[in-house]
Amino acid sequence: MAEALNRPELTRAARPSTFEVNAVNERGESVATAIAGEYPLTLYLDKRELVTLMTLGAAPEYLAIGYLRNQRLLASVDQIAAVQVDWTTASVAVTTRSMADQGIALWDRAPPQAGLDARIGRRTVTTGCGQGTMFGDLMDSLDELRLPANASLSQEVLYTVMDNARRHESIYKVAGAVHGCALCSNAGNDRGEILQFVEDVGRHNAVDAIAGWMWLEGIDGADKIFYTTGRLTSEMVIKCAQIGVPFLLSRSGLTQMGFELAGRLGLTMIGRCQGKHYLLFSGGERFMALGTTSLA
Amino acid sequence: MAEALNRPELTRAARPSTFEVNAVNERGESVATAIAGEYPLTLYLDKRELVTLMTLGAAPEYLAIGYLRNQRLLASVDQIAAVQVDWTTASVAVTTRSMADQGIALWDRAPPQAGLDARIGRRTVTTGCGQGTMFGDLMDSLDELRLPANASLSQEVLYTVMDNARRHESIYKVAGAVHGCALCSNAGNDRGEILQFVEDVGRHNAVDAIAGWMWLEGIDGADKIFYTTGRLTSEMVIKCAQIGVPFLLSRSGLTQMGFELAGRLGLTMIGRCQGKHYLLFSGGERFMALGTTSLA
């Protein structure tokens, strides 16, 4: 994937991530406690209100772009002319080039843009909280997704990712109540290094923000590893496959549907990554354990 | 609140909650591992498709009723004639008496049912996963909510709730990847006892299922305590207040918006409940610490 030909105009409107409040502990002592920010952010696509996200606000521009990508409401980042976050109105306005250049809204035009109304019309409330929003036909289009068969992940690199994720500075360590996602390298001399790390009060926001950053920077997922602190539910598996990353790692567990989808998509999924422990649930043919060539 | 005058017809269609799959651990050993179920369930209200929930499927009828309650799509449980779950079509059909008796859909009728379209039309994607769905004007109507000022929670009962929640048999202990919610007594001789416990892959589903059960059984929230394993975000605080429970406890942390809303709603919110530790964040005037009358 090449970098966006015409880079969209972006605001840089991150919000403060933590706040200090006073709490009272079990001994009756007042304890200054850091808590995570949470802000409503209403997403407008060419002046059309799509949805209101509740977010930490650390990467609102990436979040907006990634949301449109993962919901398949835009086909290419090159369609985006501008992403403007305005916290005074709690809004992020995404303007497409079709609108910017011709004053024509995306959904007024011919396919593939047609059908946006139909996609927006159908909601799937997904598992992150059990009630996320996935528009339209994501589930129907899974079989179009192809992950690289020749990619491989070594146990050494897996441990490097786990160690980097554990040591990474985070809002979670300070305030809790957030989920983190990291995109890591699986190529060259920096295998296992964290390329991008995003936290959000919603773990789906965190993965969407990374998807948006990848789109914006023209970063391909084939030689990357995706790490999340969150559970491996159907939506996490789908989003990882949508951004083309063949390796999905989590500190947490998984659901049956996440497991089935990972198998169907050919995703290498590793859960319960803690300390030196992990459980490889699918895609073992891509995994190289210490002193072996493959577990497959 | 009195029990529903005409109890709706309900299916009892719980799904298996756990499945065993084989994983490979860090020593290359095959490990039989329990994972949590996750199923799509599409909610129809009088034959109108509202949303597809991803759920553990342990209490689908309560979930459907509680979702309609917490989204304020129905004003009373007495409007419900039947709740029918059919897993072969992954659907739950809620039939209202207006439809059942007169063949007239709720949203075709006069206020207060009017405006359903407008409410359904507006989505707020909330924080459980950052992308939940809250229809319409929930945030606007918060100031209508009143919680009992005279309720009080003692530190002894708090510890009883924490201990009962910790010891409770759970899918989480077996398979992880789920959140649990418990409604506990704060009256009579069984203060701190768990009255209802629901787990789901989505924590908002778990609280909705408890809200549905309460509606169905005519259970008032004023003399209850709500415990969740999940984070105290804006939506958890709003839903706890909507079911009239003045005490919200969590093993986890909170967000700034959850904190602000708890203060605005007069909710007593206690987070980080682990072992003998906790942090009281708001509503201390209702809390009775050991050997004191109040922390306020």
Side-chain angles (χ1 to χ4, degrees), chain A residues 153 157-158 160-166 168 181-187 190-197 210 213-214 219-228 243 245-247 249:
Chain A
L153 173 66
V157 173
L158 170 62
T160 304
V161 170
M162 287 164 61
D163 194 49
N164 286 336
R166 180 181 56 75
H168 197 281
C181 290
L183 188 74
C184 301
S185 169
N186 191 31
D190 65 346
R191 290 173 195 259
E193 295 307 311
I194 294 174
L195 304 174
Q196 181 62 278
F197 180 83
I210 287 187
W213 173 76
M214 289 172 74
I219 292 170
D220 186 52
D223 59 354
K224 306 297 186 303
I225 301 159
F226 196 89
Y227 173 90
T228 174
I243 58 176
V245 178
F247 302 102
L249 279 44

Side-chain angles (χ1 to χ4, degrees), chain A residues 24 26 36 38 51-52 54 123 125 127 131-133 175 177 201 205 208 231 234 255-257 272 277 280, chain B residues 24 26 36 38 50-52 54 123 125 127 131-133 175 177 201 205 208 231 234 255-257 272 277 280:
Chain A
V24 176
E26 65 276 5
E38 181 190 3
V51 73
T52 298
M54 303 301 297
R123 281 183 294 278
V125 168
T127 309
Q131 300 184 354
T133 297
V201 284
N205 288 348
D208 282 350
R231 295 165 293 139
S234 55
T255 65
Q256 173 213 18
M257 196 168 169
R272 304 268 174 225
H277 304 295
L280 171 66
Chain B
V24 176
E26 63 277 4
E38 180 190 4
L50 284 188
V51 73
T52 298
M54 304 300 298
R123 282 183 294 277
V125 168
T127 309
Q131 300 183 356
T133 298
V201 285
N205 287 349
D208 283 350
R231 295 167 293 138
S234 54
T255 65
Q256 172 214 20
M257 195 168 170
R272 305 267 174 224
H277 304 295
L280 172 66

Side-chain angles (χ1 to χ4, degrees), chain A residues 19 21-28 31 33-40 49-55 63 67 71 120-133 135 139 155 159 172 174-179 200-205 208 231-235 239 253-259 272 276-281 289 295, chain B residues 19 21-28 31 33-40 49-55 63 67 71 120-133 135 139 155 159 172 174-179 200-205 208 231-235 239 253-259 272 276-281 289 295:
Chain A
F19 298 80
V21 299
N22 287 317
V24 176
N25 70 11
E26 65 276 5
R27 292 183 297 278
V31 181
T33 307
I35 62 176
E38 181 190 3
Y39 309 93
E49 179 177 346
L50 284 189
V51 73
T52 298
L53 303 162
M54 303 301 297
T55 177
L63 172 59
Y67 184 86
Q71 300 294 343
I120 290 176
R122 221 177 104 210
R123 281 183 294 278
T124 297
V125 168
T126 48
T127 309
C129 60
Q131 300 184 354
T133 297
F135 288 117
M139 295 295 291
Q155 191 169 349
Y159 281 145
Y172 180 81
V174 175
V178 296
H179 278 293
D200 206 304
V201 284
R203 63 210 187 81
H204 291 165
N205 288 348
D208 282 350
R231 295 165 293 139
L232 301 171
T233 60
S234 55
E235 185 164 10
K239 288 185 172 181
L254 70 162
T255 65
Q256 173 213 18
M257 196 168 169
F259 176 77
R272 304 268 174 225
K276 290 293 181 184
H277 304 295
Y278 63 83
L279 289 174
L280 171 66
F281 286 100
L295 291 176
Chain B
F19 298 80
V21 299
N22 286 317
V24 176
N25 70 11
E26 63 277 4
R27 292 183 298 278
V31 181
T33 307
I35 61 176
E38 180 190 4
Y39 309 92
E49 180 176 345
L50 284 188
V51 73
T52 298
L53 304 163
M54 304 300 298
T55 177
L63 172 59
Y67 184 85
Q71 300 294 342
I120 289 176
R122 223 177 105 209
R123 282 183 294 277
T124 297
V125 168
T126 48
T127 309
C129 59
Q131 300 183 356
T133 298
F135 288 119
M139 295 293 291
Q155 192 169 350
Y159 280 144
Y172 181 82
V174 176
V178 296
H179 278 292
D200 206 305
V201 285
R203 64 211 184 81
H204 292 165
N205 287 349
D208 283 350
R231 295 167 293 138
L232 301 171
T233 60
S234 54
E235 185 164 9
K239 288 185 172 182
L254 69 161
T255 65
Q256 172 214 20
M257 195 168 170
F259 176 77
R272 305 267 174 224
K276 290 293 181 185
H277 304 295
Y278 63 83
L279 289 173
L280 172 66
F281 285 101
L295 291 176

Side-chain angles (χ1 to χ4, degrees), chain B residues 26 77 202 244 248 259 268:
Chain B
E26 63 277 4
V77 69
L248 177 57
F259 176 77
T268 298

Side-chain angles (χ1 to χ4, degrees), chain A residues 5-35:
Chain A
L5 303 175
N6 311 301
R7 197 175 175 81
E9 292 174 33
L10 298 185
T11 52
R12 297 285 182 202
R15 297 286 273 165
S17 291
T18 62
F19 298 80
E20 192 170 274
V21 299
N22 287 317
V24 176
N25 70 11
E26 65 276 5
R27 292 183 297 278
E29 302 160 344
S30 180
V31 181
T33 307
I35 62 176

Side-chain angles (χ1 to χ4, degrees), chain B:
Chain B
M1 209 190 306
E3 180 164 350
L5 302 175
N6 312 299
R7 197 175 175 81
E9 293 175 31
L10 299 185
T11 52
R12 295 289 182 200
R15 298 286 273 165
S17 291
T18 61
F19 298 80
E20 192 169 276
V21 299
N22 286 317
V24 176
N25 70 11
E26 63 277 4
R27 292 183 298 278
E29 302 160 343
S30 181
V31 181
T33 307
I35 61 176
E38 180 190 4
Y39 309 92
L41 182 66
T42 300
L43 172 58
Y44 295 83
L45 179 58
D46 286 345
K47 299 182 178 175
R48 170 178 181 144
E49 180 176 345
L50 284 188
V51 73
T52 298
L53 304 163
M54 304 300 298
T55 177
L56 181 68
E61 296 84 6
Y62 295 157
L63 172 59
I65 295 170
Y67 184 85
L68 294 171
R69 176 186 185 179
N70 279 339
Q71 300 294 342
R72 298 197 172 188
L73 296 173
L74 292 180
S76 162
V77 69
D78 296 329
Q79 293 174 275
I80 301 175
V83 179
Q84 293 156 302
V85 171
D86 177 0
W87 288 112
T88 63
T89 56
S91 66
V92 52
V94 176
T95 309
T96 63
R97 299 193 184 282
S98 53
M99 173 67 98
D101 301 347
Q102 304 142 45
I104 302 170
L106 203 54
W107 45 85
D108 296 335
R109 299 169 62 202
Q113 287 79 3
L116 187 69
D117 283 314
R119 286 203 301 282
I120 289 176
R122 223 177 105 209
R123 282 183 294 277
T124 297
V125 168
T126 48
T127 309
C129 59
Q131 300 183 356
T133 298
M134 290 184 81
F135 288 119
D137 55 356
L138 290 194
M139 295 293 291
D140 310 338
S141 57
L142 287 185
D143 295 330
E144 301 166 13
L145 296 173
R146 290 281 172 272
L147 292 168
N150 58 351
S152 75
L153 173 65
S154 73
Q155 192 169 350
E156 293 89 335
V157 173
L158 169 63
Y159 280 144
T160 304
V161 170
M162 288 163 61
D163 194 50
N164 285 336
R166 181 181 56 76
R167 290 190 291 98
H168 197 281
E169 286 308 308
S170 69
I171 303 301
Y172 181 82
K173 290 176 184 173
V174 176
V178 296
H179 278 292
C181 290
L183 188 74
C184 301
S185 169
N186 192 31
N189 297 326
D190 65 348
R191 290 173 194 257
E193 294 307 310
I194 294 174
L195 304 174
Q196 180 63 275
F197 179 84
V198 177
E199 291 177 291
D200 206 305
V201 285
R203 64 211 184 81
H204 292 165
N205 287 349
V207 60
D208 283 350
I210 286 187
W213 174 76
M214 290 172 73
W215 231 19
L216 194 62
E217 301 298 332
I219 292 170
D220 184 53
D223 58 353
K224 305 297 187 302
I225 301 160
F226 196 89
Y227 173 90
T228 174
T229 62
R231 295 167 293 138
L232 301 171
T233 60
S234 54
E235 185 164 9
M236 289 301 291
V237 170
I238 290 169
K239 288 185 172 182
C240 187
Q242 281 182 316
I243 58 177
V245 178
F247 302 101
L248 177 57
L249 279 46
S250 174
R251 203 175 60 191
S252 305
L254 69 161
T255 65
Q256 172 214 20
M257 195 168 170
F259 176 77
E260 288 178 355
L261 284 171
R264 177 174 163 192
L265 293 164
L267 189 76
T268 298
M269 189 161 73
I270 302 175
R272 305 267 174 224
C273 296
Q274 301 201 25
K276 290 293 181 185
H277 304 295
Y278 63 83
L279 289 173
L280 172 66
F281 285 101
S282 65
E285 68 280 0
R286 284 206 201 85
F287 187 75
M288 303 299 173
L290 292 167
T292 74
T293 55
S294 171
L295 291 176

